[in-house]
PDB file of all heavy atoms in Angstrom:
ATOM      1  N   ASP J 700       0.760   3.144 -21.637  1.00  0.00           N
ATOM      2  CA  ASP J 700      -0.341   3.722 -22.416  1.00  0.00           C
ATOM      3  C   ASP J 700      -1.527   3.990 -21.497  1.00  0.00           C
ATOM      4  O   ASP J 700      -2.466   3.200 -21.407  1.00  0.00           O
ATOM      5  CB  ASP J 700      -0.733   2.771 -23.548  1.00  0.00           C
ATOM      6  CG  ASP J 700      -1.815   3.367 -24.469  1.00  0.00           C
ATOM      7  OD1 ASP J 700      -2.162   4.554 -24.306  1.00  0.00           O
ATOM      8  OD2 ASP J 700      -2.312   2.632 -25.343  1.00  0.00           O
ATOM      9  N   ALA J 721     -12.286  12.533  -4.124  1.00  0.00           N
ATOM     10  CA  ALA J 721     -11.602  13.794  -3.834  1.00  0.00           C
ATOM     11  C   ALA J 721     -10.112  13.680  -4.138  1.00  0.00           C
ATOM     12  O   ALA J 721      -9.540  14.481  -4.871  1.00  0.00           O
ATOM     13  CB  ALA J 721     -11.819  14.183  -2.368  1.00  0.00           C
ATOM     14  N   TYR J 733       2.073   0.758 -15.094  1.00  0.00           N
ATOM     15  CA  TYR J 733       2.570   1.722 -16.074  1.00  0.00           C
ATOM     16  C   TYR J 733       3.819   1.215 -16.788  1.00  0.00           C
ATOM     17  O   TYR J 733       3.903   1.268 -18.024  1.00  0.00           O
ATOM     18  CB  TYR J 733       2.871   3.064 -15.401  1.00  0.00           C
ATOM     19  CG  TYR J 733       3.430   4.099 -16.349  1.00  0.00           C
ATOM     20  CD1 TYR J 733       2.633   4.659 -17.344  1.00  0.00           C
ATOM     21  CD2 TYR J 733       4.762   4.509 -16.263  1.00  0.00           C
ATOM     22  CE1 TYR J 733       3.134   5.598 -18.224  1.00  0.00           C
ATOM     23  CE2 TYR J 733       5.282   5.451 -17.146  1.00  0.00           C
ATOM     24  CZ  TYR J 733       4.463   5.990 -18.127  1.00  0.00           C
ATOM     25  OH  TYR J 733       4.981   6.920 -19.001  1.00  0.00           O
ATOM     26  N   ILE J 755      -9.834   1.515 -15.663  1.00  0.00           N
ATOM     27  CA  ILE J 755      -9.429   2.702 -14.915  1.00  0.00           C
ATOM     28  C   ILE J 755      -8.557   2.256 -13.741  1.00  0.00           C
ATOM     29  O   ILE J 755      -8.919   1.345 -12.997  1.00  0.00           O
ATOM     30  CB  ILE J 755     -10.649   3.473 -14.402  1.00  0.00           C
ATOM     31  CG1 ILE J 755     -11.523   3.938 -15.572  1.00  0.00           C
ATOM     32  CG2 ILE J 755     -10.219   4.678 -13.551  1.00  0.00           C
ATOM     33  CD1 ILE J 755     -12.883   4.478 -15.154  1.00  0.00           C
ATOM     34  N   VAL J 820     -16.302   6.575  -8.588  1.00  0.00           N
ATOM     35  CA  VAL J 820     -15.972   5.160  -8.582  1.00  0.00           C
ATOM     36  C   VAL J 820     -17.072   4.398  -7.853  1.00  0.00           C
ATOM     37  O   VAL J 820     -17.643   4.890  -6.874  1.00  0.00           O
ATOM     38  CB  VAL J 820     -14.604   4.904  -7.917  1.00  0.00           C
ATOM     39  CG1 VAL J 820     -14.592   5.334  -6.456  1.00  0.00           C
ATOM     40  CG2 VAL J 820     -14.183   3.447  -8.041  1.00  0.00           C
ATOM     41  N   VAL J 834      -9.315  14.199  10.233  1.00  0.00           N
ATOM     42  CA  VAL J 834      -8.509  13.601   9.164  1.00  0.00           C
ATOM     43  C   VAL J 834      -9.052  14.122   7.840  1.00  0.00           C
ATOM     44  O   VAL J 834     -10.224  13.929   7.520  1.00  0.00           O
ATOM     45  CB  VAL J 834      -8.574  12.062   9.189  1.00  0.00           C
ATOM     46  CG1 VAL J 834      -7.783  11.478   8.019  1.00  0.00           C
ATOM     47  CG2 VAL J 834      -8.036  11.520  10.510  1.00  0.00           C
ATOM     48  N   GLY J 860       9.014  -4.679  22.617  1.00  0.00           N
ATOM     49  CA  GLY J 860      10.389  -4.831  23.062  1.00  0.00           C
ATOM     50  C   GLY J 860      11.322  -5.488  22.062  1.00  0.00           C
ATOM     51  O   GLY J 860      12.518  -5.616  22.327  1.00  0.00           O
ATOM     52  N   GLY J 869      10.155   2.767   1.394  1.00  0.00           N
ATOM     53  CA  GLY J 869       8.990   3.318   0.715  1.00  0.00           C
ATOM     54  C   GLY J 869       7.791   3.349   1.649  1.00  0.00           C
ATOM     55  O   GLY J 869       7.901   3.076   2.844  1.00  0.00           O
ATOM     56  N   ALA J 878       3.778   0.869  12.299  1.00  0.00           N
ATOM     57  CA  ALA J 878       2.980  -0.146  12.976  1.00  0.00           C
ATOM     58  C   ALA J 878       3.762  -0.797  14.114  1.00  0.00           C
ATOM     59  O   ALA J 878       3.233  -1.016  15.212  1.00  0.00           O
ATOM     60  CB  ALA J 878       2.519  -1.199  11.979  1.00  0.00           C
ATOM     61  N   GLY J 885      11.039  -2.444  20.234  1.00  0.00           N
ATOM     62  CA  GLY J 885      12.223  -1.878  20.872  1.00  0.00           C
ATOM     63  C   GLY J 885      12.923  -0.921  19.931  1.00  0.00           C
ATOM     64  O   GLY J 885      12.383   0.115  19.571  1.00  0.00           O
ATOM     65  N   GLU J 894      20.338   8.699   0.905  1.00  0.00           N
ATOM     66  CA  GLU J 894      20.133   9.434   2.153  1.00  0.00           C
ATOM     67  C   GLU J 894      18.757  10.098   2.268  1.00  0.00           C
ATOM     68  O   GLU J 894      18.471  10.771   3.254  1.00  0.00           O
ATOM     69  CB  GLU J 894      21.204  10.525   2.275  1.00  0.00           C
ATOM     70  CG  GLU J 894      22.612   9.992   2.441  1.00  0.00           C
ATOM     71  CD  GLU J 894      22.806   9.320   3.791  1.00  0.00           C
ATOM     72  OE1 GLU J 894      22.305   9.848   4.796  1.00  0.00           O
ATOM     73  OE2 GLU J 894      23.454   8.244   3.826  1.00  0.00           O
ATOM     74  N   VAL J 900      13.308   9.098   9.114  1.00  0.00           N
ATOM     75  CA  VAL J 900      13.333   7.959  10.028  1.00  0.00           C
ATOM     76  C   VAL J 900      13.913   8.344  11.377  1.00  0.00           C
ATOM     77  O   VAL J 900      13.346   8.035  12.442  1.00  0.00           O
ATOM     78  CB  VAL J 900      14.123   6.794   9.408  1.00  0.00           C
ATOM     79  CG1 VAL J 900      14.368   5.682  10.433  1.00  0.00           C
ATOM     80  CG2 VAL J 900      13.382   6.242   8.195  1.00  0.00           C
ATOM     81  N   PHE J 923      21.741  -2.745  17.596  1.00  0.00           N
ATOM     82  CA  PHE J 923      20.948  -3.606  18.464  1.00  0.00           C
ATOM     83  C   PHE J 923      21.785  -4.311  19.536  1.00  0.00           C
ATOM     84  O   PHE J 923      21.258  -4.741  20.558  1.00  0.00           O
ATOM     85  CB  PHE J 923      20.228  -4.692  17.653  1.00  0.00           C
ATOM     86  CG  PHE J 923      19.161  -4.184  16.721  1.00  0.00           C
ATOM     87  CD1 PHE J 923      18.767  -4.951  15.627  1.00  0.00           C
ATOM     88  CD2 PHE J 923      18.530  -2.964  16.924  1.00  0.00           C
ATOM     89  CE1 PHE J 923      17.778  -4.520  14.769  1.00  0.00           C
ATOM     90  CE2 PHE J 923      17.536  -2.513  16.062  1.00  0.00           C
ATOM     91  CZ  PHE J 923      17.163  -3.294  14.975  1.00  0.00           C
ATOM     92  N   VAL J1009      -0.414  16.207  -7.605  1.00  0.00           N
ATOM     93  CA  VAL J1009      -0.566  16.508  -9.025  1.00  0.00           C
ATOM     94  C   VAL J1009      -2.036  16.399  -9.397  1.00  0.00           C
ATOM     95  O   VAL J1009      -2.830  15.770  -8.698  1.00  0.00           O
ATOM     96  CB  VAL J1009       0.266  15.545  -9.916  1.00  0.00           C
ATOM     97  CG1 VAL J1009       1.743  15.681  -9.630  1.00  0.00           C
ATOM     98  CG2 VAL J1009      -0.181  14.112  -9.736  1.00  0.00           C
ATOM     99  N   LEU J1014      -1.121  13.007 -14.461  1.00  0.00           N
ATOM    100  CA  LEU J1014      -0.797  11.721 -13.867  1.00  0.00           C
ATOM    101  C   LEU J1014       0.448  11.082 -14.485  1.00  0.00           C
ATOM    102  O   LEU J1014       1.329  10.605 -13.764  1.00  0.00           O
ATOM    103  CB  LEU J1014      -1.988  10.772 -14.015  1.00  0.00           C
ATOM    104  CG  LEU J1014      -1.745   9.306 -13.649  1.00  0.00           C
ATOM    105  CD1 LEU J1014      -1.385   9.164 -12.178  1.00  0.00           C
ATOM    106  CD2 LEU J1014      -2.961   8.459 -13.995  1.00  0.00           C
ATOM    107  N   ILE J1032       2.700  10.123  -3.807  1.00  0.00           N
ATOM    108  CA  ILE J1032       2.219  11.185  -4.688  1.00  0.00           C
ATOM    109  C   ILE J1032       0.702  11.117  -4.707  1.00  0.00           C
ATOM    110  O   ILE J1032       0.115  10.058  -4.953  1.00  0.00           O
ATOM    111  CB  ILE J1032       2.786  11.049  -6.111  1.00  0.00           C
ATOM    112  CG1 ILE J1032       4.301  11.269  -6.097  1.00  0.00           C
ATOM    113  CG2 ILE J1032       2.114  12.038  -7.060  1.00  0.00           C
ATOM    114  CD1 ILE J1032       4.963  11.189  -7.463  1.00  0.00           C
ATOM    115  N   ALA J1033       0.068  12.248  -4.415  1.00  0.00           N
ATOM    116  CA  ALA J1033      -1.389  12.315  -4.328  1.00  0.00           C
ATOM    117  C   ALA J1033      -1.966  12.993  -5.557  1.00  0.00           C
ATOM    118  O   ALA J1033      -1.431  14.000  -6.041  1.00  0.00           O
ATOM    119  CB  ALA J1033      -1.807  13.072  -3.068  1.00  0.00           C
TER     120      ALA J1033
END
Side-chain angles (χ1 to χ4, degrees):
D700 184 7
Y733 178 69
I755 299 169
V820 62
V834 177
E894 294 291 319
V900 170
F923 293 158
V1009 298
L1014 170 63
I1032 294 181

